[in-house]
Amino acid sequence: MFCEYCGAENPDDATFCRGCGKRLNAMQTKNEKNMITALIISFILPGLGITYAGNLKTGIALFIVSMICHVIGLGVPLFRVFAIIVWAVALYLTYVEVENANGNENPNIKEDFKGLSTGNKIGVLILVLIIALALSGSLMATLSPHHDTSSNVNHDYSPSPSSSSDLGSSSSSSSSGSSERYSSSSNGRDVESHYEGEYGSADTHGTVYDDGSVESHQTGHTDYGDYKVDSYMDSNGNLHGTVDMGGRTYYVDY
């Protein structure tokens, strides 16, 4: 038979558990539910340990809720937190249901923990640590700001040194066999530029301020569609702005 406190297997005629030392209930039989087995099942598949303990309705309900939270959590991070909470609740209810199934109508998890062997105590503490780490990780991922990086738009706003010109003038350059054209002009601290190439075109205008910060606005066209970039780089080199492309807005904050 199995001990109702620590799950250790004992001879049928044993009086005290050889795992935790507690007195064994004379009514225990081999048909009683094993706590360790039930917890392992619920650890892998939340809720099914409750079904193993005999509460079919609650176990299946928790399993379905857990699966729904996991699926929705693929798109909504908050539901990942809900899934972990359901997982933790399922483990606790598994403990309660197994205790009830084995004849203990008033289970006390604190007292039962004290009666566990050192090895089982370590196992329980590791399980609690895993749950705590998973829950805190999901909370941090949910609460931290997210930047949509599904699209990366890279643009070189400046001409190469060989094609640059003095402020107040405009220039254009083209290499042999190349259809690319770049021109720019400057009026004080306001700068404008135009680029045309094989893969698209872009118009940029911006302002350089006395503190070294730069404001820039660009509209352009590529083979992938039109886009618009509004950006601002402060005097510390931090970049802030938005990119509009394909009907979506992407935020940049570095």
Side-chain angles (χ1 to χ4, degrees), residues 13 64 70 121 189 215 232:
D13 58 351
I64 293 174
H70 275 295
K121 284 182 178 179
R189 294 188 176 275
E215 180 180 353
Y232 174 75

Side-chain angles (χ1 to χ4, degrees), residues 54-74:
N55 192 335
L56 185 65
K57 184 177 179 180
T58 301
I60 293 179
L62 276 174
F63 176 75
I64 293 174
V65 170
S66 175
M67 293 300 101
I68 291 174
C69 288
H70 275 295
V71 172
I72 299 178
L74 297 175

Side-chain angles (χ1 to χ4, degrees), residues 25-116:
N25 188 335
M27 297 299 294
Q28 284 183 297
T29 67
K30 287 187 176 181
N31 292 327
E32 289 184 340
K33 305 302 180 182
N34 182 279
M35 181 67 74
I36 303 301
T37 299
L39 289 174
I40 290 175
I41 295 173
S42 267
F43 182 84
I44 300 173
L45 297 172
L48 294 194
I50 299 173
T51 302
Y52 162 80
N55 192 335
L56 185 65
K57 184 177 179 180
T58 301
I60 293 179
L62 276 174
F63 176 75
I64 293 174
V65 170
S66 175
M67 293 300 101
I68 291 174
C69 288
H70 275 295
V71 172
I72 299 178
L74 297 175
V76 183
L78 181 60
F79 276 83
R80 300 174 195 169
V81 179
F82 294 156
I84 294 174
I85 293 174
V86 172
W87 178 43
V89 169
L91 286 170
Y92 175 73
L93 291 181
T94 297
Y95 156 77
V96 172
E97 291 295 336
V98 171
E99 287 286 275
N100 291 338
N102 290 339
N104 185 2
E105 297 180 356
N106 298 299
N108 187 319
I109 192 170
K110 182 178 179 180
E111 292 300 321
D112 287 346
F113 178 77
K114 290 180 180 180
L116 294 176

Side-chain angles (χ1 to χ4, degrees), residues 94-177:
T94 297
Y95 156 77
V96 172
E97 291 295 336
V98 171
E99 287 286 275
N100 291 338
N102 290 339
N104 185 2
E105 297 180 356
N106 298 299
N108 187 319
I109 192 170
K110 182 178 179 180
E111 292 300 321
D112 287 346
F113 178 77
K114 290 180 180 180
L116 294 176
S117 64
T118 301
N120 286 332
K121 284 182 178 179
I122 293 175
V124 171
L125 291 175
I126 291 175
L127 177 61
V128 172
L129 179 61
I130 291 173
I131 294 174
L133 290 174
L135 185 58
S136 61
S138 294
L139 282 172
M140 290 178 63
T142 301
L143 298 177
S144 61
H146 289 75
H147 302 296
D148 193 337
T149 57
S150 59
S151 177
N152 295 317
V153 183
N154 298 317
H155 302 287
D156 185 358
Y157 297 150
S158 303
S160 61
S162 62
S163 64
S164 62
S165 61
D166 295 333
L167 292 177
S169 63
S170 63
S171 67
S172 62
S173 65
S174 61
S175 59
S176 175

Side-chain angles (χ1 to χ4, degrees), residues 208-214 233-235:
V208 180
Y209 296 100
D210 292 336
D211 62 355
S213 60
V214 179
M233 185 177 70
D234 60 30
S235 57

